[in-house]
Amino acid sequence: MNTPVRHASTRWIAAFGAAALGAGLLAGCTPATTDGGETSDELYIAVQDDPVCLDPQQVTLTTALNISRQLVDSLVDQDPETGEIVPWLADAFVASDTLKEFTFTLRDGVTFSDGSELTPETVKANFDALAALGSTAPLASQYLAGYQATEVVDESTVKVTFAEPNAQFLQGASTITLGMLSDETAALTAEERCLAPVGSGAFVLDEYTANDAVVLSAREGYGWGSSLRASSGDAAIKSITFAITPEPGVRTGGLQTGEFDMIFDLPAIDEQRFSTGDYEIYARANPGIPTSLVPNTERPIVSDPVVRQAMILATDRTEIAELTGSSMVQPVAGVLSSATPSFLDQADALTFDLDAAEQLLDDAGWKVGAEGTREKDGTPLTVSVTAFYGQDVLEATQVQLAKAGIDLKINMVTAGDFFGAVASKDFDFLSAGLTRTDPDALRVMLSPASEAHWAVIDDAELEAQLTAQAATADPVERTAILAEAQQRIVEQAYLVPLLEVAQVHASQKGVSGVAFDSSSRVNLYDVTVQR
Amino acid sequence: MNATLNALRYIAPKLAQFLFVVLATYTVVFLLVTFLPGDPLLAAIASKSGGDTVVDPETLERMREQYGLAGTPWEQYWHRLGMLAQGDLGISIATGQPVATMIARALPNSVEIAAIALVIAIIIAVVFTFLAFLAPTRWLRNLLLQIPPFGVAIPAFLTGLLLISFFSFTLGWLPSSGSRQPGSAILPAITLALPVGAILFQVFSAAVLEAQASQHVFTAVAKGVPPRRIFTAHLLRNALLPTITVLGLTIGYLAAGTAVVETVFSRDGIGRMTVNAVLARDVNVIQGIVLMVAAVYATVNLIVDLAYGVIDPRTRRSGRSAARGTQPETSQKEASA
């Protein structure tokens, strides 16, 4: 009786062994990743989002902007430290006193990767095409607000004219959004441009496979980097691969194992892990308006300035930054982000002071009710906030405001419903930030005259300040007006700033030369890679 | 002549059924995307433009025309059905590309991992069943029968991350993401194969063990036929029928599974495209994908129906209705140990 059993078990073990061996072979036949030599001329970067479109002039997605920055140059560049505008494709530039005319003298010998030359006609073709694209290029249409015409003055000079003063245009000309494309690209339809934009940048688009990768290669014969760049001539690295990797754990794991040289959008939770000597972390606050509560002052409770002021006092921005933000940037200290030119530090006015908040509300007749929420004439102090991202920030805020007896209801919606609420003014507060390199972001967000405004505010004094700054050419004078406007916004609590949002990236130690531009997008021209 | 007529009589109702499935799917999807709260156009452009979304009513109206979203739901229903009849799936609102182009681009990637996953799943099902069949002791057999259900119990999301962290990050054998490097399809395919293989195994092993208890197998054992020969000649064919039925249903599971797997492994494909389209409320893309999956599903089930006739000659005579769910040659009699 024993024999068949033993026989069966031998057979079984053999079969099992064969299966295991098969699995081993399957795994073993795949190639192992290899480690290269010392200096590499290839750069692998894992990015979070599929860029969808690579036309620098149309895109607004951060990843798409970061990639297309490498493909195009702009007329001017802006020093991210000082805010100073310096030459790039234009050797010289002049703004008229009225800020309605801007004259650029183009650099000689600039060519696009299709061989065509940069001429005043090219600049005209670019701006005219953008004006025609209108809201298909939402960012550009804001930089070009009031655009009238571009005039070719002579063979190297071009003049851009606006109907209204446009203080932000020169800065706008330094952005990726107003980067120059070849005549041929400018003539294409919006959809066609997305897939194959031709620029004069240090890199050329090799291949874009949606949801997979964007591959760029260095342009040969490049010699017109801005004076802000450390190197000159062709880029040191020959190719950049942006691997589209939405899963954060795969990005960080790939950075750890060396599969990626660099990753964009390092999650705040992983910052500690990569703060060792083996990695480099890059962080810069987004310029523009930090994540804030944006009021609709036509709503009953929100219309009361005392309530809004109490909300500013009752929110602890330091705690919000600790709980939800990157450890690489400071807590928000104003209604503009610290990376924005003309930023006014109002940390004192924005200091957390629960007692003062309670005093304000007590004095205004908001008495603490049965369940901790304040009431006045039977109306509970309940306001809602509509948002499509940053739920953690709002939850932290909710807990803080509850301590002052303010009941904040969080209404998380899709992006579409958010803008539906903006369009129909159906909200108490919105929660969002607005990334813009120019302090004009305040006008865009708060002025009823702005097409893209979100806040519902009726304040003649603020409106005058916002209009005046947009028409002031002198930087010192403009900063002074902007300072008044920022003070006014905090005094009247037209924004309740919550969190300064930062761009945080990480790379291997051997990667150097990664630079943020003034809009906190990445320029990779100076990058070298040691493996 | 008679044969052609017979074939037509056999195929025509199946073709009608196929069209009905597609039309019904179109209608249900249309109702879902139309009567969900919120504006699909705003949702799609907001997902593209983020904080810079334009809410100017005139622009929105113009775009509504452009993307076939203008008019009453009734008008839209017929308008889009008309487009569909001409093979036009419309234009994606979020990307501006034709939906057909997007699907054509993503489909091969998904088919690749789904096909590999299916092969692995079948191997898992057959190998585990074979081992369980040969298992010398009852406890070993029971143990083997309990292992594959883990494949269903563990979410694909977790399996995927575990496989990446072990095979890519620890051992460095396989790429963790994308489809750029060779071998990049293997880990996603394994992730997808585990639950599918587990389902197939459940059905296949149950069918094999049941067939094992039947009289003809008892006779074969008594005659001294070697176990391997019993497995291949006497059990396999009987166990195929229910397994093939499940295989047809598995296609739907594979299509859904790719959504998770392609996101975890950062691969382009139908699944990830679906997730993105749903997040962006990109109605034209959602509709295009669902219709495509419905068509594939209906086709596979048509093939399964036809396959019954090949596998089980009795169904050729009695028609397919008799075949479904019926176990041939089963016996209540317990096989002696």
Side-chain angles (χ1 to χ4, degrees), chain A residues 338-471:
Chain A
S338 56
T340 324
S342 303
F343 156 74
L344 179 70
D345 190 331
Q346 299 185 87
D348 290 342
L350 295 175
T351 309
F352 170 61
D353 191 342
L354 187 57
D355 294 340
E358 290 187 299
Q359 190 66 49
L360 261 184
L361 291 170
D362 282 337
D363 292 350
W366 291 101
K367 300 296 176 201
V368 180
E371 281 168 29
T373 303
R374 286 169 187 272
E375 291 173 4
K376 184 171 162 180
D377 308 329
T379 314
L381 185 43
T382 299
V383 289
S384 71
V385 55
T386 304
F388 67 105
Y389 62 87
Q391 185 167 356
D392 52 346
V393 178
L394 291 176
E395 280 168 357
T397 311
Q398 185 180 44
V399 172
Q400 293 172 353
L401 290 180
K403 289 178 187 155
I406 303 169
D407 177 26
L408 182 72
K409 294 253 184 284
I410 301 173
N411 182 21
M412 291 304 294
V413 297
T414 63
D417 292 343
F418 178 88
F419 290 100
V422 172
S424 59
K425 297 185 183 178
D426 183 19
F427 62 90
D428 285 349
F429 285 97
L430 301 168
S431 169
L434 186 68
T435 302
R436 285 286 186 288
T437 328
D438 194 87
D440 192 54
L442 290 173
R443 188 189 57 81
V444 172
M445 173 85 101
L446 302 173
S447 163
S450 152
E451 262 185 35
H453 75 98
W454 295 351
V456 182
I457 292 170
D458 182 18
D459 181 335
E461 187 181 334
L462 178 67
E463 185 62 15
Q465 288 162 343
L466 293 177
T467 316
Q469 63 81 24

Side-chain angles (χ1 to χ4, degrees), chain A residues 12 15-16 27 30-31 33 52 60 135 138 191 210-213 243-246 250 253-254 257 259-260 415-417 419-420 436 454, chain B residues 38 42-43 46 48-53 55 59 95-96 105 131 135 144 164 169 172-174 176 178-180 186 264 266 268 272:
Chain A
W12 188 82
F16 186 80
T30 55
T33 47
V52 181
T60 57
S135 56
E191 280 80 20
N211 279 326
D212 185 53
I244 299 151
T245 315
V250 177
T257 56
E259 189 171 334
F260 302 124
D417 292 343
F419 290 100
R436 285 286 186 288
W454 295 351
Chain B
L42 256 186
K48 183 170 70 170
S49 310
D52 303 294
T53 304
V55 293
T59 317
T95 68
R105 183 200 77 213
L131 290 177
L144 277 168
I164 291 176
F169 295 158
W173 286 358
L174 291 164
S176 64
S179 42
R180 301 168 295 281
I186 295 174
V264 172
S266 315
D268 188 27
R272 184 139 152 236

